[in-house]
Amino acid sequence: MINYSEEEGLNTSYTYRLRQDKDGFIWIGSDNGLFRFDGKEFKQYGKKDGLKNIDVLSCEPLPNGELLIISFLNDFASLKHGKVINSDQNRELQKLHFEHNPLISGTKETLYLCNVINPKNIFLYNNGKIKNLLLNHTSNKTSAKIQTIGMDTNKNILYIKNEKNEIEAYNFITRKKINCHISLGKSDITYKKDNFLINKHHNKIDVYKIEHTSRFTKIHTFYIREDIHQIIVDKNNKLWLCLDKGGVLYFDQPLSIEKHLTSPLRFLEDYIINDILVDTDNNVWFSTRNNGIFFITNSFLKNYISLPLRNNTAFITAITASKQDIILGYNKSESGIFHANTITDISLEPNKKTEHKAIFAKNNLIIFGLTKSIFKYDLITGKKKLLKPYGLKNILPYSGDSLLLCASNGLIVYNFIKDSYSDYLSDERVYTALPYHKDSLFVGNFKDLYKFNINTKTKTLFLEGYYFKDIQRLRSNLYAAGTNLNGIILFNNKKVLRKITEKDGLLSGQVKKITVENENVFWASTNSGINRIELKENRIFISSFTQTDGLPSNVVAGCVIRKDTLYAGTSKGLAILPINKLLSQQKFINKKVIINSVLIGDKEYFEPDQNLVGLSSNNEEVIVRLSFPDYSSQGKISYKYRIAGLIDNWQISNSSSIILNAVPPGKYTLQIFGLGYNGKQSDTSTDVIFEIQPRFWQTWWFRLLLSVLGISVILTGLNIYFQKKRNKKLETLYYEKKIAELELQAIKAQINPHFIYNCLNSIQFLLYKKNYSETENYLDIFSQMIRKTLYYSEKTFMPIKDEIEYLSLYLKMEKLRLKDQFSYQITASEAVNNKWTIPSLLIQPFVENAIKHGISGLKNRKGKVDISFEYHAPYLCITITDNGIGIGSNSESLKKDDSFGVKLSKKRIETFRQLFEVDIILEIEDLKEKQSLSGTQIKLYIPPHEN
C-alpha cells in the first residue's frame, strides 16, 4: 500500500474521517486541522485560515461546493471557495451545539445533524443557515438513555434505540414512531448505512436489510472473536470491520447478495484504523492513528484478492520457466518452484544471504546461479550438486547440452550432461553473451560489446560504451539488448539500428532483463516497472505496467510469458497477470482537470464559470491553480496546456500552477489536459475562458490620438529642422558675402593708393637715374605681386608653399623700395607639410605692419623680419618677428588694434571660426616688455588641413 504521512505533507498524528467531494478531492479530518488531497499535494486548513478548533473530526461536502467542518465538541465552520468561515463570521453556526459528536446525514443541499445520545432536536444546515426541528420522542424516565442509530432523510425517519433497547422509527415531521420489533443488547455496536443495519452483540454480527420503514430482515449472521471499534459499509455495500488491536477485516461481497459471506481478508494488522473510504474509482483509503493514511488502487486490490498465491512476498532476483513450472530465485540462498498455484521453497545454502543472479531450466534439470556458488538441481529426485565456484554474473543457453557461464573471471562453457567445463575467456569480467553465428559470440564486459571467435580465441570491439545487461535474439540478424544506462539497443551483426529510451516511453533507462514474446514483441524489466515493446515496421509501440496495474512492486527482476499470462518476479513477490487484461486498459483517464482558482492581477476567482476579466500590464500575471485528482497515478501528474489564439503549441508542466506572463489584451481560451500515470491523458480538456482588457493607452482611440500627436510632433520637428537648415544656409550666404567683402577689403588693403604711389615713385626714381635693369626687375616683381594678390583674393584657402612664395615676393619688393633698410628670412620646419592649406592672404597684413610700423622708423640699425612655419600638434604655428621699435614705443595705434590690417585680419579670423569652424588663435607680443630685445612678435595658431 501507499502510505501518505508527514514526509508527503500530511503533518498530523491522528487522522479521523475521510470524505470525497463532487470534484474528487479527498478530505481528511485530523488533530491538526482539515487536509485536502488532490493526488499530488496536501493543502492544510488550520488556525491561520480561521479554524477556531483544529481538532477536526470530519467534514461534509455539499453539492454546491461548500463543506461543513465538524470539529471535536462543536466550534463548527464552513469552507467555500478556499475560505474558512467560522462562527464569528457566520453567527448561524453558533446555533449548532452538541453534547456528543453528532450523527450527520444529508440530502441534496441540506445536512441533518442530531445528538447521538438523547437527541432533542435536529439541526438542518443549508447554505450557511440553520433551522431547528424539535423532537418529541423522549421517555418520561429522566434516567433513560436513548441512542440515535441512523437517519433516513428522504423519508424523514430517525432510527433510535429506546430505553428498552428496541429499535424505533421516528418520523420527525409527523412525530409518530413505529416499533421495528428488533431488540438489541445494551452494549451492542450498531451501524446503519443506506438500507442496511449491522449489529454486533458480543462475538455475533447480524446484518439486516430494511425492506420498509419499520420492517427489518436478517440476511447475514456470522461470528468474530476480535473486538471491533468501527463498522463501515462502503459505497459498494461491502462490509469493513476495524479491529481494536489493529487491522481491518474486509468482506469482498456486497451485502445485498443474500448468501453466506465469504471469509474476510485482513489488512494493515499493525495499524489502528479509524475510517475507510472507497472513492469513486473504487480505490481504498484508510485513516489511522499516528500513521497518516494508506491508499491502495482498485486494480491492485482486485489482483491481490484474485491472486491464487498467499504469503507471496519474497524478494525475487531471478526468474525462468521449465515446461511445467516457474522457477524463482530469491535474494538469499533459497529458491521457489511455482506449480499448480503453489510455491514450493528450496533451501540451497541454509543461513546464507548470497542472492540469485540467474537460473537455467530444462526438463527436470535446474541450474541455480548464485553470487558465489552454482547448484545443479533435479526436480524429480530433489538432489542438488554444488558446481565449481565462480563469481557468477549470468547464465545463458548455448547448445542442446551446454550453458554459457558469465563470471567475473571469464566466460565458461559448462556441459551439464558430462559435467565438463571449457574456458573461452580467462581473467576477464563477462556480464552477458549470445551466439550469433556457428563459431562466433557476442560477449559483453558490461561497458562494451565484443565479437568473439571461438576458433581463433580473438575478440573484436563491436559496440562501445553501452553498459550491456542482457542480450536476446528477436529474429534472424536482429537483437535487443538491455543496458544499465542507455535503455534498449536494437542492432544487427554490423551496427546499431535504433535506441529506445525514456523519451520513447520506457519507464527507465536501466533495463535488467529482456524477455522475448515473439519476433516482434519483447518485454523489458526495470526498477520502475515493466515495459512491453512491439515492433511494427518502422514504428515502436510501448506499454508500461507498474504497481498501479497490479505489480506487487515496481522493482522487476525479470518475467516469463506463458500463453496469455505474465509472470513477473518483483521485490515483493511473484505477479501473475493476464496479458489481455493489461493491454485492454483504457487509453484515457475519465477525469477532468479541476480549476481551484484563477488569479488575474490582484483579483482571485474561485468559480471558473465567472466572467474572468483582468487589465493588461507588463507586470500582471495570470495564475491558474490546478488539480487532477487521479489517485491511481500516485502523484505522477502533470498538465498539458495551450492558449488558443495566442500559443498554438502544447506546453507540458509538472507544476500545479500555470503562470502566464504579460498576456496581451484579448479574449482567450486556456485548454488544459491532465496527464497521469504512463502518460495517460484526461479524455476531455478543461477550458478556462478569460479576457485581458487593454489599459487606456492600449485602446484604439488612444493609439489614434497618439499617432496624430506623433505625426504632429514629427511635422513640427521637420519644420524646425528645415527652418534651421534654411537659417544655416542664409547664415552661410551671409558669411560668404562677408568673406567676399573682406577679400575686397584685403585687395584694397594690398593695392591701396599709398602703396602704389610709393611703388611708382620708386620706379620713377630708378628711371630718373637711368637704372633700367633695376627698374625692369622692380616692375617684374610689382606685376607678379599685383597678379598673385588678385588671384589669391578669390581663394578662401591657399597652400603653405604658395603663401611662402607670395610673402617672398612682397618682402623682396618692399626691400627694393626701401633701399635695403631691412633683411628678411622665411623658414619652414620639416614637420610642416607644404600641401597643408591655410586661410589665404591672412599673414601679409601682419608682415606689412612689421615693416610699416616697426622697421621703417629705425635709424641706428638695420631692420630684420623673420617668418617661421612650425608644427606643434595639433596646431600650425606661424611666427612673424621684427626687430623694430616695438608696440610700446611708437605705435600706440597698433597696440590699440587701430591698424586697418590688424582689424581686417581679426574680422577674417572670426569669420573663418564661424563659417568653417576653424579655430585660429592670434597672439601679439611686445618683445621689449618680456625680453631685453626690441621689436614685436606675432603668432598665429592654425589647425592645418590637407584640402
Side-chain angles (χ1 to χ4, degrees):
M1 292 188 183
I2 306 301
N3 180 224
Y4 295 107
S5 57
E6 187 174 351
E7 292 180 359
E8 289 75 30
L10 186 62
N11 54 332
T12 180
S13 297
Y14 277 58
T15 53
Y16 302 121
R17 295 289 180 263
L18 301 168
R19 294 291 184 266
Q20 186 175 29
D21 64 18
K22 65 181 182 63
D23 291 327
F25 294 118
I26 301 297
W27 295 88
I28 305 129
S30 78
D31 63 350
N32 193 25
L34 181 66
F35 288 85
R36 189 197 76 176
F37 185 51
D38 64 358
K40 191 170 185 177
E41 297 176 343
F42 286 92
K43 180 174 177 57
Q44 182 180 9
Y45 295 91
K47 182 178 179 181
K48 65 177 182 179
D49 301 289
L51 287 181
K52 298 170 69 176
N53 184 353
I54 62 170
D55 206 356
V56 178
L57 295 179
S58 181
C59 70
E60 294 297 332
L62 292 164
N64 64 357
E66 183 182 4
L67 287 92
L68 182 66
I69 302 173
I70 296 94
S71 298
F72 181 71
L73 293 179
N74 307 306
D75 279 329
F76 290 82
S78 63
L79 180 67
K80 195 169 185 179
H81 301 323
K83 304 292 183 182
V84 173
I85 302 170
N86 58 36
S87 57
D88 294 336
Q89 297 160 312
N90 180 11
R91 295 188 176 275
E92 286 283 301
L93 296 174
Q94 296 179 3
K95 298 177 182 179
L96 296 174
H97 186 80
F98 302 96
E99 296 176 0
H100 303 86
N101 295 326
L103 173 72
I104 303 174
S105 184
T107 173
K108 295 182 180 179
E109 301 288 340
T110 303
L111 289 176
Y112 293 73
L113 302 90
C114 71
N115 256 322
V116 175
I117 305 299
N118 292 332
K120 296 180 181 180
N121 47 17
I122 296 178
F123 294 98
L124 278 67
Y125 178 85
N126 184 291
N127 198 25
K129 300 294 183 181
I130 303 295
K131 184 179 178 181
N132 190 356
L133 293 178
L134 295 176
L135 302 179
N136 188 23
H137 62 79
T138 56
S139 171
N140 294 327
K141 299 178 182 180
T142 56
S143 61
K145 181 181 289 186
I146 294 174
Q147 181 179 349
T148 304
I149 294 174
M151 201 181 304
D152 187 345
T153 55
N154 291 317
K155 297 179 180 179
N156 301 320
I157 297 296
L158 182 68
Y159 290 96
I160 59 176
K161 183 169 73 171
N162 61 23
E163 64 273 12
K164 297 179 181 180
N165 294 322
E166 298 174 336
I167 295 180
E168 291 181 346
Y170 174 77
N171 190 307
F172 48 79
I173 300 299
T174 64
R175 299 191 176 184
K176 292 180 180 181
K177 57 184 176 180
I178 304 172
N179 194 303
C180 299
H181 305 290
I182 296 179
S183 295
L184 307 175
K186 187 176 182 180
S187 60
D188 287 2
I189 298 175
T190 308
Y191 175 81
K192 178 190 175 296
K193 170 71 181 300
D194 296 334
N195 292 326
F196 297 96
L197 185 139
I198 298 95
N199 184 74
K200 180 181 181 295
H201 179 72
H202 300 302
N203 293 331
K204 179 184 177 185
I205 294 180
D206 294 316
V207 179
Y208 296 88
K209 186 176 182 180
I210 304 174
E211 304 286 353
H212 190 262
T213 301
S214 59
R215 188 168 72 241
F216 287 63
T217 301
K218 186 184 291 186
I219 58 175
H220 300 290
T221 297
F222 59 93
Y223 294 86
I224 185 169
R225 295 181 178 179
E226 290 144 302
D227 292 330
I228 297 170
H229 72 89
Q230 185 81 293
I231 299 172
I232 296 168
V233 177
D234 65 28
K235 72 181 188 68
N236 300 315
N237 291 325
K238 295 183 179 181
L239 182 63
W240 300 78
L241 303 177
C242 300
L243 307 178
D244 279 352
K245 292 184 178 180
V248 62
L249 298 179
Y250 170 56
F251 296 84
D252 186 34
Q253 178 184 333
L255 296 177
S256 56
I257 299 176
E258 297 181 9
K259 65 178 183 180
H260 181 70
L261 291 175
T262 58
S263 298
L265 298 171
R266 190 181 295 267
F267 297 97
L268 298 166
E269 293 184 65
D270 298 328
Y271 304 93
I272 302 298
I273 307 301
N274 287 331
D275 193 21
I276 300 166
L277 170 70
V278 177
D279 64 22
T280 54
D281 296 321
N282 289 318
N283 305 312
V284 186
W285 303 80
F286 303 87
S287 69
T288 71
R289 184 190 305 169
N290 294 325
N291 291 284
I293 60 175
F294 284 87
F295 167 76
I296 184 171
T297 65
N298 177 40
S299 59
F300 193 94
L301 180 60
K302 283 182 177 179
N303 290 328
Y304 176 80
I305 292 170
S306 61
L307 194 67
L309 295 171
R310 289 291 179 264
N311 299 322
N312 167 37
T313 58
F315 195 123
I316 300 172
T317 59
I319 182 172
T320 191
S322 63
K323 285 186 177 180
Q324 302 295 329
D325 308 315
I326 304 296
I327 319 299
L328 308 174
Y330 303 144
N331 66 337
K332 54 185 177 179
S333 296
E334 292 182 5
S335 63
I337 310 296
F338 175 73
H339 180 78
N341 293 334
T342 302
I343 294 179
T344 302
D345 289 335
I346 301 171
S347 178
L348 299 173
E349 294 179 299
N351 303 321
K352 286 194 176 182
K353 298 294 184 182
T354 54
E355 68 176 13
H356 282 75
K357 287 293 186 179
I359 305 172
F360 170 80
K362 185 176 182 180
N363 299 326
N364 296 320
L365 174 69
I366 303 175
I367 306 296
F368 293 107
L370 285 78
T371 306
K372 296 181 180 180
S373 55
I374 305 172
F375 287 90
K376 184 179 179 180
Y377 184 83
D378 191 310
L379 272 174
I380 303 299
T381 63
K383 292 182 178 180
K384 61 182 178 180
K385 178 183 179 181
L386 181 63
L387 304 181
K388 283 187 177 183
Y390 293 104
L392 192 71
K393 303 298 180 184
N394 209 342
I395 299 176
L396 300 160
Y398 184 41
S399 63
D401 56 1
S402 61
L403 302 173
L404 291 172
L405 304 180
C406 301
S408 59
N409 55 342
L411 178 65
I412 301 98
V413 177
Y414 170 64
N415 189 307
F416 51 81
I417 302 296
K418 299 178 181 179
D419 267 347
S420 62
Y421 302 88
S422 300
D423 289 345
Y424 274 10
L425 283 172
S426 299
D427 300 325
E428 187 164 343
R429 189 179 296 269
V430 178
Y431 280 82
T432 187
L434 182 72
Y436 72 92
H437 193 266
K438 182 180 178 181
D439 299 321
S440 300
L441 299 174
F442 287 123
V443 178
N445 67 352
F446 189 59
K447 180 182 178 184
D448 305 322
L449 188 67
Y450 292 86
K451 286 182 176 181
F452 177 72
N453 188 286
I454 298 171
N455 297 324
T456 63
K457 304 297 185 194
T458 58
K459 63 175 186 176
T460 306
L461 181 62
F462 177 49
L463 298 176
E464 185 179 6
Y466 284 104
Y467 298 87
F468 292 93
K469 294 281 287 184
D470 190 25
I471 305 172
Q472 296 293 332
R473 185 197 303 270
L474 297 179
R475 52 181 179 263
S476 177
N477 202 23
L478 180 62
Y479 306 92
T483 72
N484 195 49
L485 293 172
N486 301 293
I488 296 170
I489 309 298
L490 297 179
F491 61 93
N492 58 20
N493 293 343
K494 295 182 179 179
K495 62 179 180 179
V496 171
L497 301 176
R498 181 160 186 171
K499 298 177 185 178
I500 305 173
T501 65
E502 291 171 279
K503 292 181 180 179
D504 301 300
L506 279 186
L507 289 167
S508 170
Q510 187 179 22
V511 178
K512 292 182 174 181
K513 286 290 182 182
I514 300 291
T515 304
V516 178
E517 182 177 335
N518 56 56
E519 65 178 16
N520 294 314
V521 178
F522 62 94
W523 298 70
S525 301
T526 76
N527 279 339
S528 302
I530 190 167
N531 285 109
R532 182 180 185 269
I533 297 98
E534 184 174 2
L535 308 178
K536 285 187 178 180
E537 297 177 351
N538 293 324
R539 300 181 65 188
I540 292 178
F541 299 90
I542 300 178
S543 301
S544 300
F545 308 103
T546 63
Q547 280 183 293
T548 303
D549 303 288
L551 290 176
S553 165
N554 287 335
V555 180
V556 182
C559 65
V560 171
I561 308 299
R562 276 270 180 86
K563 296 181 180 179
D564 187 48
T565 303
L566 170 73
Y567 298 86
T570 77
S571 62
K572 293 183 180 179
L574 178 66
I576 306 172
L577 303 171
I579 295 175
N580 61 351
K581 190 174 180 180
L582 289 174
L583 297 179
S584 63
Q585 59 182 232
Q586 291 182 341
K587 302 299 180 184
F588 295 92
I589 300 173
N590 188 24
K591 294 180 183 296
K592 290 185 68 175
V593 172
I594 305 299
I595 306 299
N596 296 319
S597 68
V598 179
L599 181 66
I600 305 179
D602 56 355
K603 189 171 183 181
E604 190 168 13
Y605 300 86
F606 292 94
E607 296 181 17
D609 294 335
Q610 288 180 271
N611 186 23
L612 308 181
V613 178
L615 289 174
S616 175
S617 172
N618 291 333
N619 299 322
E620 193 165 276
E621 296 178 329
V622 177
I623 302 175
V624 184
R625 298 188 174 95
L626 312 168
S627 290
F628 186 49
D630 178 48
Y631 303 108
S632 296
S633 295
Q634 298 178 19
K636 297 177 181 178
I637 291 168
S638 55
Y639 300 91
K640 182 173 79 170
Y641 67 93
R642 72 175 180 181
I643 306 174
L646 184 63
I647 302 174
D648 292 329
N649 296 328
W650 290 97
Q651 310 288 321
I652 303 293
S653 173
N654 292 322
S655 172
S656 297
S657 295
I658 295 176
I659 302 176
L660 308 174
N661 294 306
V663 180
K667 196 168 185 179
Y668 304 101
T669 299
L670 176 63
Q671 298 175 307
I672 312 167
F673 285 96
L675 299 177
Y677 150 74
N678 201 14
K680 290 182 182 178
Q681 181 176 294
S682 55
D683 53 357
T684 57
S685 68
T686 297
D687 297 342
V688 180
I689 300 173
F690 65 96
E691 183 180 0
I692 301 298
Q693 294 181 342
R695 302 280 185 175
F696 74 89
W697 60 80
Q698 295 173 316
T699 56
W700 67 268
W701 56 265
F702 182 81
R703 290 176 180 172
L704 179 62
L705 178 62
L706 199 63
S707 299
V708 171
L709 289 174
I711 292 171
S712 300
V713 169
I714 291 171
L715 291 175
T716 303
L718 289 173
N719 185 43
I720 293 171
Y721 170 75
F722 286 116
Q723 184 65 40
K724 285 185 175 180
K725 199 170 183 180
R726 285 193 296 269
N727 292 340
K728 186 72 174 177
K729 191 173 182 180
L730 290 173
E731 189 177 356
T732 302
L733 292 173
Y734 166 75
Y735 282 114
E736 287 178 351
K737 181 181 177 182
K738 194 170 184 181
I739 285 175
E741 292 175 353
L742 290 172
E743 286 172 348
L744 285 174
Q745 292 176 359
I747 294 170
K748 291 176 182 178
Q750 294 297 325
I751 314 175
N752 60 70
H754 180 70
F755 170 73
I756 295 173
Y757 177 76
N758 289 336
C759 290
L760 290 176
N761 276 342
S762 298
I763 293 168
Q764 185 180 9
F765 178 75
L766 291 171
L767 287 174
Y768 176 76
K769 291 183 69 176
K770 296 181 181 182
N771 192 348
Y772 300 112
S773 60
E774 191 174 346
T775 302
E776 185 179 356
N777 184 33
Y778 191 87
L779 284 171
D780 182 54
I781 295 171
F782 180 69
S783 65
Q784 289 182 50
M785 179 69 188
I786 296 299
R787 186 164 56 250
K788 286 185 179 294
T789 301
L790 292 173
Y791 174 76
Y792 288 122
S793 65
E794 295 178 357
K795 304 293 182 182
T796 306
F797 292 89
M798 62 187 298
I800 291 176
K801 65 176 183 175
D802 293 345
E803 179 70 37
I804 293 173
E805 184 181 351
Y806 178 78
L807 291 174
S808 298
L809 282 173
Y810 174 71
L811 288 168
K812 189 175 183 181
M813 187 178 64
E814 285 290 86
K815 185 177 179 183
L816 286 172
R817 185 176 68 83
L818 295 176
K819 307 298 182 182
D820 289 329
Q821 290 184 11
F822 70 94
S823 62
Y824 66 89
Q825 184 179 10
I826 302 175
T827 59
S829 71
E830 293 180 356
V832 176
N833 189 340
N834 287 332
K835 294 181 180 180
W836 286 345
T837 60
I838 59 176
S840 64
L841 304 179
L842 184 65
I843 303 172
Q844 188 272 336
F846 295 103
V847 176
E848 181 182 348
N849 277 334
I851 296 171
K852 181 179 179 181
H853 298 286
I855 294 172
S856 61
L858 290 177
K859 295 181 179 179
N860 57 352
R861 66 179 184 273
K862 187 177 182 178
K864 185 178 181 182
V865 177
D866 290 327
I867 303 172
S868 65
F869 291 81
E870 295 178 346
Y871 181 65
H872 304 291
Y875 288 100
L876 174 68
C877 179
I878 303 171
T879 306
I880 302 120
T881 307
D882 66 78
N883 63 346
I885 59 175
I887 297 172
S889 302
N890 226 352
S891 300
E892 290 298 323
S893 62
L894 181 60
K895 190 175 182 180
K896 295 178 182 179
D897 292 342
D898 291 335
S899 168
F900 176 76
V902 173
K903 286 182 179 179
L904 184 62
S905 297
K906 287 189 175 183
K907 285 182 181 180
R908 293 190 70 206
I909 288 170
E910 183 62 27
T911 302
F912 274 101
R913 181 182 292 115
Q914 293 178 351
L915 188 61
F916 300 106
E917 298 181 356
V918 177
D919 187 18
I920 302 174
I921 301 172
L922 172 64
E923 293 181 355
I924 302 174
E925 183 180 357
D926 190 350
L927 297 177
K928 192 174 183 180
E929 292 180 358
K930 294 189 177 182
Q931 302 178 25
S932 59
L933 302 174
S934 61
T936 304
Q937 187 178 73
I938 295 173
K939 288 187 177 181
L940 286 167
Y941 295 93
I942 304 173
H945 299 277
E946 290 190 7
N947 188 355

